[in-house]
Short mmCIF file of all heavy atoms in Angstrom, two decimals:
data_model
loop_
_atom_site.label_atom_id
_atom_site.label_comp_id
_atom_site.label_asym_id
_atom_site.label_seq_id
_atom_site.Cartn_x
_atom_site.Cartn_y
_atom_site.Cartn_z
N MET D 1 3.66 -3.51 -13.57
CA MET D 1 2.69 -4.54 -13.87
C MET D 1 3.29 -5.95 -13.49
O MET D 1 4.45 -6.17 -13.64
CB MET D 1 2.35 -4.56 -15.36
CG MET D 1 1.63 -3.41 -15.78
SD MET D 1 1.09 -3.56 -17.49
CE MET D 1 -0.06 -2.22 -17.64
N SER D 2 2.41 -6.74 -13.01
CA SER D 2 2.78 -8.07 -12.59
C SER D 2 2.84 -9.03 -13.70
O SER D 2 2.04 -8.95 -14.70
CB SER D 2 1.77 -8.57 -11.55
OG SER D 2 2.00 -9.95 -11.25
N ASP D 3 3.79 -9.98 -13.70
CA ASP D 3 3.80 -11.00 -14.74
C ASP D 3 3.35 -12.34 -14.24
O ASP D 3 3.50 -13.37 -14.83
CB ASP D 3 5.23 -11.11 -15.31
CG ASP D 3 6.20 -11.54 -14.28
OD1 ASP D 3 5.90 -11.66 -13.11
OD2 ASP D 3 7.42 -11.72 -14.65
N GLN D 4 2.73 -12.32 -13.01
CA GLN D 4 2.19 -13.54 -12.45
C GLN D 4 0.88 -13.87 -13.06
O GLN D 4 0.08 -12.98 -13.41
CB GLN D 4 2.01 -13.36 -10.91
CG GLN D 4 3.33 -13.15 -10.21
CD GLN D 4 3.15 -13.05 -8.72
OE1 GLN D 4 2.11 -13.50 -8.19
NE2 GLN D 4 4.12 -12.53 -8.04
N GLU D 5 0.63 -15.15 -13.27
CA GLU D 5 -0.58 -15.56 -13.96
C GLU D 5 -1.75 -15.85 -12.97
O GLU D 5 -2.90 -15.48 -13.28
CB GLU D 5 -0.30 -16.85 -14.73
CG GLU D 5 0.60 -16.64 -15.88
CD GLU D 5 -0.08 -15.94 -17.01
OE1 GLU D 5 -1.24 -16.26 -17.29
OE2 GLU D 5 0.55 -15.07 -17.63
N GLY D 6 -1.50 -16.47 -11.87
CA GLY D 6 -2.53 -16.85 -10.97
C GLY D 6 -3.05 -15.71 -10.12
O GLY D 6 -2.40 -14.65 -10.02
N PRO D 7 -4.17 -15.91 -9.42
CA PRO D 7 -4.74 -14.81 -8.63
C PRO D 7 -3.93 -14.62 -7.33
O PRO D 7 -3.26 -15.53 -6.84
CB PRO D 7 -6.15 -15.33 -8.35
CG PRO D 7 -6.10 -16.80 -8.38
CD PRO D 7 -4.98 -17.10 -9.46
N LEU D 8 -4.13 -13.44 -6.80
CA LEU D 8 -3.60 -13.10 -5.46
C LEU D 8 -4.66 -13.29 -4.45
O LEU D 8 -5.79 -12.80 -4.65
CB LEU D 8 -3.14 -11.62 -5.49
CG LEU D 8 -2.68 -10.97 -4.11
CD1 LEU D 8 -1.43 -11.60 -3.67
CD2 LEU D 8 -2.56 -9.47 -4.31
N THR D 9 -4.39 -14.00 -3.36
CA THR D 9 -5.41 -14.29 -2.32
C THR D 9 -5.22 -13.23 -1.20
O THR D 9 -4.11 -13.00 -0.76
CB THR D 9 -5.27 -15.67 -1.79
OG1 THR D 9 -5.36 -16.60 -2.79
CG2 THR D 9 -6.18 -15.93 -0.64
N ILE D 10 -6.32 -12.58 -0.80
CA ILE D 10 -6.30 -11.64 0.26
C ILE D 10 -7.41 -11.94 1.21
O ILE D 10 -8.45 -12.47 0.85
CB ILE D 10 -6.37 -10.15 -0.14
CG1 ILE D 10 -7.68 -9.85 -0.86
CG2 ILE D 10 -5.20 -9.79 -1.06
CD1 ILE D 10 -7.91 -8.36 -1.00
N THR D 11 -7.18 -11.66 2.47
CA THR D 11 -8.23 -11.86 3.54
C THR D 11 -7.94 -10.80 4.63
O THR D 11 -6.87 -10.29 4.73
CB THR D 11 -8.18 -13.30 4.06
OG1 THR D 11 -9.36 -13.49 4.90
CG2 THR D 11 -6.91 -13.57 4.84
N GLY D 12 -8.97 -10.50 5.42
CA GLY D 12 -8.82 -9.67 6.53
C GLY D 12 -8.83 -8.18 6.19
O GLY D 12 -8.48 -7.33 6.97
N LYS D 13 -9.23 -7.86 4.92
CA LYS D 13 -9.29 -6.48 4.48
C LYS D 13 -10.74 -6.01 4.42
O LYS D 13 -11.61 -6.76 3.98
CB LYS D 13 -8.68 -6.32 3.06
CG LYS D 13 -7.26 -6.77 2.98
CD LYS D 13 -6.30 -5.66 3.32
CE LYS D 13 -4.90 -6.06 2.98
NZ LYS D 13 -3.96 -5.08 3.46
N ASP D 14 -11.01 -4.76 4.83
CA ASP D 14 -12.35 -4.23 4.73
C ASP D 14 -12.53 -3.39 3.40
O ASP D 14 -13.65 -3.10 3.02
CB ASP D 14 -12.78 -3.44 5.94
CG ASP D 14 -11.86 -2.30 6.23
OD1 ASP D 14 -10.95 -1.98 5.42
OD2 ASP D 14 -12.10 -1.68 7.33
N SER D 15 -11.41 -3.04 2.80
CA SER D 15 -11.55 -2.39 1.49
C SER D 15 -10.12 -2.40 0.82
O SER D 15 -9.13 -2.56 1.50
CB SER D 15 -12.05 -0.94 1.64
OG SER D 15 -11.08 -0.12 2.22
N ILE D 16 -10.18 -2.18 -0.50
CA ILE D 16 -8.92 -1.99 -1.24
C ILE D 16 -9.21 -0.84 -2.24
O ILE D 16 -10.32 -0.56 -2.61
CB ILE D 16 -8.44 -3.26 -2.00
CG1 ILE D 16 -9.53 -3.64 -3.01
CG2 ILE D 16 -8.09 -4.36 -1.07
CD1 ILE D 16 -9.02 -4.74 -4.01
N TRP D 17 -8.09 -0.23 -2.66
CA TRP D 17 -8.19 0.77 -3.72
C TRP D 17 -7.67 0.08 -5.00
O TRP D 17 -6.52 -0.24 -5.08
CB TRP D 17 -7.40 2.03 -3.40
CG TRP D 17 -8.06 2.85 -2.36
CD1 TRP D 17 -7.90 2.85 -1.04
CD2 TRP D 17 -9.08 3.83 -2.63
NE1 TRP D 17 -8.71 3.77 -0.41
CE2 TRP D 17 -9.47 4.43 -1.40
CE3 TRP D 17 -9.69 4.35 -3.76
CZ2 TRP D 17 -10.44 5.38 -1.32
CZ3 TRP D 17 -10.66 5.30 -3.68
CH2 TRP D 17 -11.05 5.80 -2.46
N ALA D 18 -8.61 -0.12 -5.90
CA ALA D 18 -8.28 -0.84 -7.16
C ALA D 18 -7.86 0.12 -8.24
O ALA D 18 -8.54 1.17 -8.46
CB ALA D 18 -9.52 -1.64 -7.60
N CYS D 19 -6.83 -0.21 -8.93
CA CYS D 19 -6.33 0.60 -10.06
C CYS D 19 -7.26 0.44 -11.25
O CYS D 19 -7.77 -0.60 -11.59
CB CYS D 19 -4.95 0.11 -10.49
SG CYS D 19 -4.31 0.84 -11.97
N THR D 20 -7.58 1.56 -11.91
CA THR D 20 -8.40 1.56 -13.16
C THR D 20 -7.57 2.10 -14.34
O THR D 20 -8.08 2.09 -15.47
CB THR D 20 -9.70 2.37 -12.98
OG1 THR D 20 -9.34 3.72 -12.73
CG2 THR D 20 -10.54 1.82 -11.83
N CYS D 21 -6.42 2.66 -14.05
CA CYS D 21 -5.63 3.32 -15.14
C CYS D 21 -4.71 2.27 -15.86
O CYS D 21 -4.16 2.59 -16.88
CB CYS D 21 -4.85 4.44 -14.63
SG CYS D 21 -3.30 4.00 -13.75
N MET D 22 -4.55 1.12 -15.26
CA MET D 22 -3.71 0.00 -15.82
C MET D 22 -2.23 0.41 -15.85
O MET D 22 -1.51 -0.25 -16.59
CB MET D 22 -4.22 -0.38 -17.18
CG MET D 22 -5.69 -0.76 -17.27
SD MET D 22 -6.11 -2.09 -16.10
CE MET D 22 -5.36 -3.45 -16.84
N GLN D 23 -1.78 1.34 -15.10
CA GLN D 23 -0.40 1.79 -15.06
C GLN D 23 0.30 1.37 -13.72
O GLN D 23 1.50 1.54 -13.62
CB GLN D 23 -0.27 3.27 -15.25
CG GLN D 23 -0.88 3.72 -16.52
CD GLN D 23 -0.16 3.19 -17.79
OE1 GLN D 23 1.06 3.01 -17.77
NE2 GLN D 23 -0.94 2.94 -18.80
N SER D 24 -0.44 0.84 -12.77
CA SER D 24 0.12 0.53 -11.50
C SER D 24 1.13 -0.58 -11.58
O SER D 24 0.89 -1.59 -12.22
CB SER D 24 -1.03 0.10 -10.50
OG SER D 24 -0.48 -0.32 -9.25
N ALA D 25 2.27 -0.41 -10.86
CA ALA D 25 3.25 -1.49 -10.78
C ALA D 25 2.82 -2.57 -9.80
O ALA D 25 3.47 -3.57 -9.70
CB ALA D 25 4.58 -0.90 -10.38
N HIS D 26 1.73 -2.29 -9.10
CA HIS D 26 1.25 -3.21 -8.08
C HIS D 26 -0.25 -3.62 -8.38
O HIS D 26 -0.99 -3.86 -7.47
CB HIS D 26 1.39 -2.65 -6.68
CG HIS D 26 2.79 -2.29 -6.34
ND1 HIS D 26 3.76 -3.23 -6.06
CD2 HIS D 26 3.37 -1.10 -6.34
CE1 HIS D 26 4.91 -2.65 -5.82
NE2 HIS D 26 4.71 -1.33 -5.95
N TRP D 27 -0.56 -3.67 -9.66
CA TRP D 27 -1.91 -4.00 -10.08
C TRP D 27 -2.30 -5.32 -9.49
O TRP D 27 -1.47 -6.25 -9.47
CB TRP D 27 -1.94 -4.08 -11.63
CG TRP D 27 -3.32 -3.90 -12.17
CD1 TRP D 27 -3.99 -2.76 -12.48
CD2 TRP D 27 -4.19 -4.99 -12.58
NE1 TRP D 27 -5.20 -3.00 -12.94
CE2 TRP D 27 -5.36 -4.39 -13.01
CE3 TRP D 27 -4.12 -6.37 -12.46
CZ2 TRP D 27 -6.49 -5.15 -13.45
CZ3 TRP D 27 -5.20 -7.07 -12.91
CH2 TRP D 27 -6.36 -6.45 -13.37
N PRO D 28 -3.49 -5.54 -8.95
CA PRO D 28 -4.66 -4.67 -9.17
C PRO D 28 -4.82 -3.46 -8.19
O PRO D 28 -5.82 -2.83 -8.20
CB PRO D 28 -5.85 -5.68 -9.00
CG PRO D 28 -5.32 -6.60 -7.98
CD PRO D 28 -3.87 -6.78 -8.28
N PHE D 29 -3.82 -3.26 -7.36
CA PHE D 29 -3.86 -2.16 -6.40
C PHE D 29 -3.38 -0.81 -6.99
O PHE D 29 -2.37 -0.87 -7.75
CB PHE D 29 -3.03 -2.47 -5.16
CG PHE D 29 -3.42 -3.75 -4.53
CD1 PHE D 29 -2.64 -4.87 -4.62
CD2 PHE D 29 -4.59 -3.87 -3.78
CE1 PHE D 29 -2.97 -6.08 -4.02
CE2 PHE D 29 -4.93 -5.07 -3.15
CZ PHE D 29 -4.11 -6.19 -3.33
N CYS D 30 -3.99 0.25 -6.66
CA CYS D 30 -3.55 1.59 -7.04
C CYS D 30 -2.22 1.86 -6.32
O CYS D 30 -2.11 1.62 -5.14
CB CYS D 30 -4.55 2.63 -6.65
SG CYS D 30 -4.00 4.31 -6.95
N ASP D 31 -1.19 2.36 -7.04
CA ASP D 31 0.06 2.82 -6.45
C ASP D 31 0.34 4.26 -6.75
O ASP D 31 1.46 4.73 -6.62
CB ASP D 31 1.20 1.89 -6.92
CG ASP D 31 1.56 2.12 -8.37
OD1 ASP D 31 0.82 2.92 -9.08
OD2 ASP D 31 2.57 1.56 -8.82
N ALA D 32 -0.74 4.98 -7.09
CA ALA D 32 -0.67 6.37 -7.38
C ALA D 32 -0.06 6.75 -8.74
O ALA D 32 0.17 7.91 -9.03
CB ALA D 32 -0.05 7.23 -6.25
N SER D 33 0.20 5.74 -9.60
CA SER D 33 0.78 5.97 -10.89
C SER D 33 -0.18 6.83 -11.75
O SER D 33 0.25 7.50 -12.71
CB SER D 33 1.07 4.68 -11.65
OG SER D 33 2.11 4.02 -10.98
N HIS D 34 -1.49 6.81 -11.46
CA HIS D 34 -2.41 7.60 -12.26
C HIS D 34 -2.09 9.10 -12.19
O HIS D 34 -2.48 9.83 -13.09
CB HIS D 34 -3.85 7.33 -11.80
CG HIS D 34 -4.18 7.68 -10.43
ND1 HIS D 34 -3.90 6.82 -9.33
CD2 HIS D 34 -4.67 8.79 -9.88
CE1 HIS D 34 -4.25 7.42 -8.23
NE2 HIS D 34 -4.74 8.61 -8.49
N HIS D 35 -1.43 9.50 -11.10
CA HIS D 35 -1.01 10.94 -11.03
C HIS D 35 0.02 11.26 -12.09
O HIS D 35 0.10 12.37 -12.59
CB HIS D 35 -0.49 11.25 -9.65
CG HIS D 35 -1.50 11.24 -8.55
ND1 HIS D 35 -2.61 12.10 -8.50
CD2 HIS D 35 -1.65 10.37 -7.46
CE1 HIS D 35 -3.34 11.78 -7.45
NE2 HIS D 35 -2.77 10.76 -6.82
N THR D 36 0.91 10.26 -12.36
CA THR D 36 1.96 10.48 -13.39
C THR D 36 1.45 10.24 -14.78
O THR D 36 1.77 11.03 -15.67
CB THR D 36 3.10 9.51 -13.07
OG1 THR D 36 3.56 9.74 -11.72
CG2 THR D 36 4.27 9.67 -14.03
N PHE D 37 0.69 9.20 -15.00
CA PHE D 37 0.33 8.74 -16.35
C PHE D 37 -1.08 9.10 -16.80
O PHE D 37 -1.38 9.09 -17.93
CB PHE D 37 0.51 7.21 -16.48
CG PHE D 37 1.93 6.75 -16.20
CD1 PHE D 37 2.20 6.08 -15.01
CD2 PHE D 37 2.96 7.00 -17.09
CE1 PHE D 37 3.54 5.64 -14.76
CE2 PHE D 37 4.22 6.60 -16.86
CZ PHE D 37 4.49 5.90 -15.68
N GLY D 38 -1.91 9.45 -15.81
CA GLY D 38 -3.34 9.75 -16.16
C GLY D 38 -4.08 8.49 -16.53
O GLY D 38 -3.60 7.36 -16.41
N GLY D 39 -5.26 8.67 -17.01
CA GLY D 39 -6.01 7.58 -17.54
C GLY D 39 -7.02 6.99 -16.67
O GLY D 39 -7.78 6.07 -17.01
N GLY D 40 -7.18 7.48 -15.42
CA GLY D 40 -8.24 6.94 -14.53
C GLY D 40 -7.97 7.29 -13.06
O GLY D 40 -6.86 7.72 -12.73
N GLU D 41 -8.97 7.02 -12.31
CA GLU D 41 -8.86 7.20 -10.85
C GLU D 41 -9.08 5.90 -10.17
O GLU D 41 -9.89 5.08 -10.71
CB GLU D 41 -9.89 8.23 -10.38
CG GLU D 41 -9.70 9.66 -10.89
CD GLU D 41 -8.50 10.31 -10.21
OE1 GLU D 41 -8.30 10.04 -8.98
OE2 GLU D 41 -7.78 11.09 -10.90
N PRO D 42 -8.50 5.67 -8.99
CA PRO D 42 -8.75 4.37 -8.30
C PRO D 42 -10.18 4.29 -7.80
O PRO D 42 -10.84 5.33 -7.59
CB PRO D 42 -7.76 4.40 -7.17
CG PRO D 42 -7.53 5.86 -6.90
CD PRO D 42 -7.62 6.53 -8.25
N VAL D 43 -10.64 3.08 -7.63
CA VAL D 43 -11.97 2.83 -7.09
C VAL D 43 -11.87 2.04 -5.80
O VAL D 43 -11.11 1.04 -5.75
CB VAL D 43 -12.82 1.99 -8.13
CG1 VAL D 43 -14.17 1.61 -7.51
CG2 VAL D 43 -13.03 2.79 -9.40
N GLU D 44 -12.55 2.53 -4.76
CA GLU D 44 -12.49 1.82 -3.50
C GLU D 44 -13.54 0.67 -3.57
O GLU D 44 -14.70 0.88 -3.87
CB GLU D 44 -12.82 2.69 -2.28
CG GLU D 44 -12.64 1.93 -1.01
CD GLU D 44 -12.82 2.83 0.23
OE1 GLU D 44 -13.48 3.98 0.07
OE2 GLU D 44 -12.35 2.47 1.31
N ILE D 45 -13.04 -0.54 -3.33
CA ILE D 45 -13.88 -1.71 -3.31
C ILE D 45 -14.05 -2.16 -1.85
O ILE D 45 -13.10 -2.43 -1.15
CB ILE D 45 -13.18 -2.88 -4.10
CG1 ILE D 45 -12.80 -2.46 -5.49
CG2 ILE D 45 -14.11 -4.11 -4.10
CD1 ILE D 45 -13.92 -2.20 -6.44
N GLN D 46 -15.29 -2.18 -1.40
CA GLN D 46 -15.64 -2.65 -0.04
C GLN D 46 -15.58 -4.17 0.04
O GLN D 46 -16.12 -4.88 -0.85
CB GLN D 46 -16.99 -2.15 0.40
CG GLN D 46 -17.16 -0.66 0.38
CD GLN D 46 -16.27 0.02 1.40
OE1 GLN D 46 -16.05 -0.43 2.46
NE2 GLN D 46 -15.65 1.19 1.00
N LEU D 47 -14.92 -4.67 1.04
CA LEU D 47 -14.74 -6.13 1.22
C LEU D 47 -15.21 -6.54 2.58
O LEU D 47 -15.28 -5.70 3.54
CB LEU D 47 -13.29 -6.55 1.05
CG LEU D 47 -12.60 -6.23 -0.26
CD1 LEU D 47 -11.14 -6.59 -0.19
CD2 LEU D 47 -13.27 -6.91 -1.44
N ASP D 48 -15.55 -7.77 2.79
CA ASP D 48 -15.87 -8.38 4.03
C ASP D 48 -14.57 -8.99 4.67
O ASP D 48 -14.01 -9.89 4.07
CB ASP D 48 -16.91 -9.47 3.86
CG ASP D 48 -17.37 -10.08 5.22
OD1 ASP D 48 -16.61 -9.97 6.21
OD2 ASP D 48 -18.42 -10.74 5.22
N PRO D 49 -14.07 -8.41 5.76
CA PRO D 49 -12.82 -8.88 6.29
C PRO D 49 -12.84 -10.32 6.75
O PRO D 49 -11.80 -10.98 6.97
CB PRO D 49 -12.50 -7.90 7.44
CG PRO D 49 -13.76 -7.25 7.76
CD PRO D 49 -14.63 -7.28 6.51
N GLN D 50 -14.09 -10.89 6.88
CA GLN D 50 -14.20 -12.30 7.23
C GLN D 50 -14.05 -13.25 6.09
O GLN D 50 -13.97 -14.48 6.25
CB GLN D 50 -15.57 -12.55 7.96
CG GLN D 50 -15.82 -11.67 9.15
CD GLN D 50 -14.83 -11.89 10.27
OE1 GLN D 50 -14.50 -13.05 10.57
NE2 GLN D 50 -14.29 -10.81 10.85
N LYS D 51 -14.04 -12.67 4.92
CA LYS D 51 -13.97 -13.50 3.68
C LYS D 51 -12.60 -13.44 3.02
O LYS D 51 -11.83 -12.48 3.24
CB LYS D 51 -15.05 -13.04 2.67
CG LYS D 51 -16.47 -13.27 3.14
CD LYS D 51 -17.46 -12.92 2.05
CE LYS D 51 -18.87 -13.20 2.51
NZ LYS D 51 -19.87 -12.82 1.46
N THR D 52 -12.38 -14.42 2.15
CA THR D 52 -11.10 -14.51 1.41
C THR D 52 -11.49 -14.22 -0.06
O THR D 52 -12.50 -14.66 -0.55
CB THR D 52 -10.54 -15.91 1.49
OG1 THR D 52 -10.15 -16.16 2.86
CG2 THR D 52 -9.25 -16.05 0.65
N TYR D 53 -10.66 -13.39 -0.70
CA TYR D 53 -10.87 -12.97 -2.09
C TYR D 53 -9.68 -13.35 -2.96
O TYR D 53 -8.55 -13.31 -2.51
CB TYR D 53 -11.10 -11.50 -2.14
CG TYR D 53 -12.35 -10.98 -1.40
CD1 TYR D 53 -12.28 -10.68 -0.07
CD2 TYR D 53 -13.59 -10.91 -2.06
CE1 TYR D 53 -13.39 -10.22 0.66
CE2 TYR D 53 -14.69 -10.50 -1.32
CZ TYR D 53 -14.61 -10.14 0.00
OH TYR D 53 -15.71 -9.77 0.68
N GLN D 54 -10.02 -13.62 -4.19
CA GLN D 54 -9.01 -13.89 -5.22
C GLN D 54 -8.96 -12.67 -6.15
O GLN D 54 -9.97 -12.39 -6.78
CB GLN D 54 -9.32 -15.17 -6.03
CG GLN D 54 -9.48 -16.37 -5.14
CD GLN D 54 -8.15 -16.96 -4.73
OE1 GLN D 54 -7.19 -16.99 -5.43
NE2 GLN D 54 -8.09 -17.41 -3.46
N LEU D 55 -7.81 -12.00 -6.21
CA LEU D 55 -7.70 -10.84 -7.07
C LEU D 55 -6.89 -11.22 -8.35
O LEU D 55 -5.94 -11.88 -8.29
CB LEU D 55 -7.01 -9.66 -6.34
CG LEU D 55 -7.64 -9.22 -5.06
CD1 LEU D 55 -6.85 -8.05 -4.44
CD2 LEU D 55 -9.11 -8.79 -5.33
N CYS D 56 -7.35 -10.68 -9.45
CA CYS D 56 -6.77 -10.95 -10.77
C CYS D 56 -5.35 -10.32 -10.82
O CYS D 56 -5.15 -9.23 -10.35
CB CYS D 56 -7.62 -10.34 -11.87
SG CYS D 56 -6.86 -10.49 -13.53
N GLN D 57 -4.43 -11.10 -11.37
CA GLN D 57 -3.07 -10.57 -11.64
C GLN D 57 -2.69 -10.79 -13.11
O GLN D 57 -1.57 -10.42 -13.51
CB GLN D 57 -2.02 -11.29 -10.74
CG GLN D 57 -2.20 -10.97 -9.28
CD GLN D 57 -1.00 -11.39 -8.51
OE1 GLN D 57 -0.23 -10.57 -7.99
NE2 GLN D 57 -0.77 -12.70 -8.37
N CYS D 58 -3.59 -11.30 -13.91
CA CYS D 58 -3.25 -11.60 -15.35
C CYS D 58 -3.88 -10.57 -16.29
O CYS D 58 -3.65 -10.65 -17.47
CB CYS D 58 -3.66 -13.01 -15.68
SG CYS D 58 -5.47 -13.21 -15.99
N TYR D 59 -4.71 -9.67 -15.78
CA TYR D 59 -5.35 -8.64 -16.56
C TYR D 59 -6.49 -9.08 -17.49
O TYR D 59 -7.07 -8.32 -18.18
CB TYR D 59 -4.32 -7.85 -17.41
CG TYR D 59 -3.17 -7.27 -16.67
CD1 TYR D 59 -2.00 -7.96 -16.54
CD2 TYR D 59 -3.34 -6.02 -16.03
CE1 TYR D 59 -0.96 -7.41 -15.79
CE2 TYR D 59 -2.25 -5.50 -15.30
CZ TYR D 59 -1.11 -6.20 -15.22
OH TYR D 59 -0.04 -5.67 -14.52
N LYS D 60 -6.81 -10.38 -17.44
CA LYS D 60 -7.78 -10.99 -18.39
C LYS D 60 -9.16 -11.04 -17.84
O LYS D 60 -10.15 -11.26 -18.55
CB LYS D 60 -7.36 -12.40 -18.81
CG LYS D 60 -6.06 -12.42 -19.54
CD LYS D 60 -5.71 -13.95 -19.82
CE LYS D 60 -4.33 -14.05 -20.42
NZ LYS D 60 -3.90 -15.45 -20.49
N THR D 61 -9.36 -10.80 -16.51
CA THR D 61 -10.64 -10.90 -15.92
C THR D 61 -11.67 -9.93 -16.50
O THR D 61 -11.33 -8.82 -16.90
CB THR D 61 -10.56 -10.69 -14.37
OG1 THR D 61 -11.87 -10.97 -13.83
CG2 THR D 61 -10.11 -9.34 -14.02
N LYS D 62 -12.91 -10.36 -16.51
CA LYS D 62 -14.02 -9.48 -16.88
C LYS D 62 -14.67 -8.89 -15.63
O LYS D 62 -15.69 -8.23 -15.77
CB LYS D 62 -15.04 -10.28 -17.74
CG LYS D 62 -14.47 -10.97 -18.95
CD LYS D 62 -14.28 -10.02 -20.03
CE LYS D 62 -13.96 -10.65 -21.40
NZ LYS D 62 -12.58 -11.17 -21.50
N ASN D 63 -14.12 -9.23 -14.45
CA ASN D 63 -14.79 -8.77 -13.20
C ASN D 63 -13.67 -8.14 -12.31
O ASN D 63 -13.45 -8.55 -11.20
CB ASN D 63 -15.36 -9.96 -12.45
CG ASN D 63 -16.12 -9.55 -11.27
OD1 ASN D 63 -16.71 -8.45 -11.19
ND2 ASN D 63 -16.17 -10.45 -10.24
N ARG D 64 -12.99 -7.12 -12.82
CA ARG D 64 -11.93 -6.44 -12.10
C ARG D 64 -12.45 -5.85 -10.78
O ARG D 64 -13.52 -5.36 -10.72
CB ARG D 64 -11.36 -5.28 -12.90
CG ARG D 64 -10.56 -5.78 -14.09
CD ARG D 64 -10.01 -4.61 -14.89
NE ARG D 64 -9.39 -5.10 -16.14
CZ ARG D 64 -9.16 -4.32 -17.18
NH1 ARG D 64 -9.44 -3.05 -17.11
NH2 ARG D 64 -8.61 -4.81 -18.22
N PRO D 65 -11.63 -6.00 -9.72
CA PRO D 65 -10.31 -6.54 -9.64
C PRO D 65 -10.25 -8.05 -9.33
O PRO D 65 -9.25 -8.57 -9.04
CB PRO D 65 -9.66 -5.74 -8.48
CG PRO D 65 -10.80 -5.54 -7.53
CD PRO D 65 -12.06 -5.38 -8.41
N PHE D 66 -11.41 -8.70 -9.35
CA PHE D 66 -11.51 -10.10 -8.88
C PHE D 66 -11.15 -11.07 -10.02
O PHE D 66 -11.48 -10.86 -11.14
CB PHE D 66 -12.89 -10.37 -8.35
CG PHE D 66 -13.31 -9.45 -7.21
CD1 PHE D 66 -14.16 -8.43 -7.46
CD2 PHE D 66 -12.78 -9.61 -5.95
CE1 PHE D 66 -14.55 -7.54 -6.44
CE2 PHE D 66 -13.11 -8.71 -4.93
CZ PHE D 66 -13.97 -7.70 -5.19
N CYS D 67 -10.55 -12.16 -9.60
CA CYS D 67 -10.24 -13.26 -10.54
C CYS D 67 -11.53 -13.92 -11.00
O CYS D 67 -12.40 -14.20 -10.16
CB CYS D 67 -9.34 -14.32 -9.83
SG CYS D 67 -9.05 -15.79 -10.80
N ASP D 68 -11.66 -14.17 -12.29
CA ASP D 68 -12.81 -14.87 -12.80
C ASP D 68 -12.38 -16.23 -13.47
O ASP D 68 -13.20 -16.79 -14.22
CB ASP D 68 -13.69 -14.05 -13.72
CG ASP D 68 -12.99 -13.68 -15.04
OD1 ASP D 68 -11.80 -14.11 -15.21
OD2 ASP D 68 -13.59 -13.03 -15.87
N GLY D 69 -11.17 -16.62 -13.25
CA GLY D 69 -10.64 -17.86 -13.85
C GLY D 69 -10.11 -17.68 -15.24
O GLY D 69 -9.65 -18.67 -15.85
N SER D 70 -10.11 -16.46 -15.78
CA SER D 70 -9.64 -16.25 -17.15
C SER D 70 -8.14 -16.61 -17.37
O SER D 70 -7.75 -16.88 -18.50
CB SER D 70 -9.86 -14.79 -17.57
OG SER D 70 -11.24 -14.50 -17.68
N HIS D 71 -7.34 -16.59 -16.29
CA HIS D 71 -5.92 -16.95 -16.43
C HIS D 71 -5.77 -18.42 -16.87
O HIS D 71 -4.70 -18.72 -17.39
CB HIS D 71 -5.19 -16.72 -15.10
CG HIS D 71 -5.69 -17.50 -13.95
ND1 HIS D 71 -6.77 -17.18 -13.26
CD2 HIS D 71 -5.19 -18.66 -13.43
CE1 HIS D 71 -6.97 -18.08 -12.28
NE2 HIS D 71 -6.04 -18.97 -12.37
N ASN D 72 -6.78 -19.23 -16.71
CA ASN D 72 -6.67 -20.62 -17.13
C ASN D 72 -7.15 -20.83 -18.55
O ASN D 72 -7.08 -21.93 -19.08
CB ASN D 72 -7.58 -21.48 -16.19
CG ASN D 72 -7.00 -21.59 -14.84
OD1 ASN D 72 -5.79 -21.71 -14.69
ND2 ASN D 72 -7.84 -21.60 -13.81
N LYS D 73 -7.67 -19.80 -19.20
CA LYS D 73 -8.23 -19.95 -20.55
C LYS D 73 -7.17 -19.71 -21.62
O LYS D 73 -6.28 -18.90 -21.47
CB LYS D 73 -9.42 -19.02 -20.74
CG LYS D 73 -10.56 -19.34 -19.77
CD LYS D 73 -11.70 -18.37 -19.91
CE LYS D 73 -12.74 -18.67 -18.82
NZ LYS D 73 -13.75 -17.62 -18.77
S1 FES M 1 -2.30 3.76 -10.21
FE1 FES M 1 -3.98 3.26 -11.58
S2 FES M 1 -5.72 4.21 -10.68
FE2 FES M 1 -4.07 4.71 -9.38
#
């Protein structure tokens, strides 16, 4: 799990596999930890490679895997 507070900026991606088990060491990305710990399966999120996205790293967002500004609250 990340201890970073602010969002991770990504661009140029057409999709990501988002962790839903909350055990990934590279959250919000799936790192296959769900095979070891259980608790969920990753979800593929389609993205526009022409756009820039902010991904949550503080676990507080209500719009996983995207940052909703909750790290500032
Ligand atoms: S590591 Fe969490 S869903 Fe894969």
Side-chain angles (χ1 to χ4, degrees):
M1 292 187 167
S2 171
D3 60 357
Q4 295 184 19
E5 291 287 319
L8 171 68
T9 301
I10 64 167
T11 190
K13 301 273 189 188
D14 58 6
S15 70
I16 60 169
W17 285 94
C19 172
T20 63
C21 77
M22 305 304 289
Q23 301 297 324
S24 175
H26 302 286
W27 201 84
F29 304 105
C30 173
D31 70 355
S33 292
H34 61 276
H35 291 296
T36 302
F37 300 107
E41 294 288 326
V43 174
E44 185 175 21
I45 307 290
Q46 299 296 321
L47 302 175
D48 181 341
Q50 303 299 315
K51 293 185 177 179
T52 298
Y53 297 89
Q54 303 284 320
L55 301 181
C56 176
Q57 294 193 110
C58 76
Y59 304 96
K60 297 175 186 171
T61 184
K62 302 282 190 284
N63 186 31
R64 290 179 187 164
F66 304 103
C67 174
D68 68 357
S70 292
H71 60 280
N72 288 323
K73 297 176 185 170

